[in-house]
Amino acid sequence: MPTRCYLAAAESDALGLVAGLVDRVREASSALDADVGERVVTTRVVLDTADRRLRAARMDLAIETGGTGEGRAMFVLGGPAGAPELRVVCPRQRRRYLAGEIPRGALAERLAGIIGVRALLPLVELRREEIPVRVLDREAKTVVRLIVADLWALPKGSPEPLRLRSRVEVTGVLGYRRQFAQVDSAVGDAPDLATGTTSVVDDAVTAVAGSPGGLSSQVKVPVDGDEPAGAAARRVLRGLADVVEAQVPGTLDDLDSEFLHDLRIAVRRSRSVLRQMKRAFDPAARREQADSLRWIQAVTGPTRDLDVQLLEWDELAALVPEDRRVALGPAHALLVEQRTAALRTMKATLRSAEYRRHWTAWRLFLAVDAGVSGGSGGIDAAPPIRKLARRRVTALSERIVREGRALTAESPAEALHDIRKRGKELRFVFELFGPSLWPASDVKPRVSALKALQDVLGRFHDRHVQVDRLRALAPELANRPGGATALLAMGSLIDRLEADQRKAQADVAERLEAFARLHPRDLA
Amino acid sequence: MKVLAAYNIKGGVGKTAAAVNLGVLAARDGFRTLLWDLDPQGAASFLLRVRPKVKGGGRKLVRGRSDVPELLRGSDVDGLDLLPADFSYRHLDLALDGTKRPARQLATLLAPLAEHYDLVVVDCQPSISLVSESVFDAADALVVPLIPSTLSLRTFDQLLDYVRNEVERPPEILAFFSMVDGRKKLHREVIAQLPLDRPEVTTIAIPAATEVELMGIERRAVVDSAPRSRAAQAYRDLWTEIRTRFDLRPGQP
């Protein structure tokens, strides 16, 4: 339904606005009347994932108190367009909601597939005092809806609510376009109203100094192809360092597994830039920083590995015949215990002086402009980034093809994994520098062909690692109650995984040749 | 999109009241819901305060020559829209008779709405005719109100027999008791016995209550006008039973 939003002048409030609007509606047409409802006062804690997946899906979720909940807190889900508002009792307010923690039923079903593994977190608290006005036709049928609302954002830890501008929302009813146009025109002509945005949440988030778009793990740093390689690479690395820093609080609070995942990806990309652009940096300084990043990757690795195992658990368990699935229970419990211990160790490390020392040194390294401060630039720091990036794309592509063609059925798993690692490095170069340096029509087919190759290499590697990890559980599992049965069920699971691994290996050659056909030298 | 049809061969058994209350409850439960008032009497349209008039009439509609989205009207309930009745629906049989595959016609008409709605509730006209055949073809389930009397049960058996033996793609059937007077021994006995004999019949009983009759005055569903009444509770029970039995979920294809 069409909705128009108007923002009131700073000094206006809902009560004053309503009287004027009712008169305007009646003047607009003798066939229309207005019914003013009772003022409804609600407080809403707006929920979304850290990367605002609900916003992207044009949905709003909040826990509402007051309003129609008869004293109970209610989940209220609005949007996307056309879907009615959904209200579900919120049994217990939590600091976060993972998909499995949302009450089963319509709400969980509507959110499924949107939030994935991310947690819903409180984003901003909003107080709303609204007066509903129904515009009626001669049958007393609602033909347009108005909401006139006074709004406050409640910043965390501050007793002072921030007054937002009052707003009027005009919403049409299906089949009553003419009446909507009449009312909208009457409201739009009101002298104390101006057209506004439709998102109260964005306004409230902005008021409490947040970012409406949320946290992003993407780095979009525009690079000029003629820019010196050292300066361009550092600027991209600074963008990646911002991503790492933004993910640390959520990682320490263990809000969801994506914070740590995004942190590690940003570190991995940073290491890749250091490697691929190594001649743009002073060799000794680069080695030192590469060691620091490797250390961060290492101390965060065990928790992530266990996260992956637990996230994949249901999918893996589904590979075991149903009657033996329950026997896997002790293996799952062991993983949960191991993850708790790994998280504790990682949190202590991320809060340690050693971490601060590594990170401060990294930030200082990035703050120095290549070539300006003595010793911070390498031999390729000054030439244009386009040249260096193209050289790296060519070298990596040729090596992937060469090593890929040398693979045989007897090649060790490490050989396939090495190719996959080079594929990742190539993808990072494309992702971080490609959009600024080459036309999308050149980059996209190469990234697609690379992704198709990486998918099978990734599946091969994942299955290999899953088998190794399951085998690693065996010694401890054997001594636990139910351990022997669990080991038998795991044996059946390992058979399935190895079969899928062999299938992935068989697909590599075909994908490799598709990738090889797009020669990197043809890049503009 | 799932299609439920409130159907009975007999008139005045509570089809419209059931269709309207189920439509409101579905919308409140997050289903994008369309109520199609297929009864020329237009009672559901009246209850939702929408003029029972369809541009071009029933003939143009069933022959696929109407712009269906243009005919839809939003109700006062968020998430519930209406395809209104039209007095010309009394000749819908004749209009269907001139089409290529009359029994498939209503399903064909509804198909493009699937991306906009999770659920369609059809308030059917009382009869057994070409219109009902087309409804049976389009519906995933028939929701049948039964007055607990001997004649009603005989009619229900006729319906079961017809749907199972004559309909190419028979819908599921769920019957519930309607206009129940708990003071009557016969009503009590039928409600106790029939669900044991026929799995299609639930024990849910909508009472013959003043609140249901007042819907015509209030022009609102009982679940809104008298939410604490026994009738409202019975409609909520009926909706829960339908959701569970037919595994209805909002947003499902």
Side-chain angles (χ1 to χ4, degrees), chain A residues 47-49 53-54 57 59-61 75-79 86 97-99 102-103 105-116 118 120, chain B residues 250:
Chain A
L47 301 176
D48 204 342
T49 61
R53 292 182 184 193
L54 295 186
M59 296 167 106
D60 284 324
L61 176 67
F75 283 109
V76 183
L77 178 68
L86 183 61
Y97 293 85
L98 292 167
I102 299 165
L107 180 67
E109 286 158 12
R110 289 257 291 268
L111 295 173
I114 297 174
I115 65 169
R118 294 236 70 150
L120 290 163

Side-chain angles (χ1 to χ4, degrees), chain B residues 96 102-107 129-139:
Chain B
L96 281 171
R104 299 302 323 270
Q105 206 57 24
L106 297 191
S129 61
L130 205 47
V131 180
S132 16
E133 276 182 47
S134 198
V135 167
F136 297 160
D137 180 77

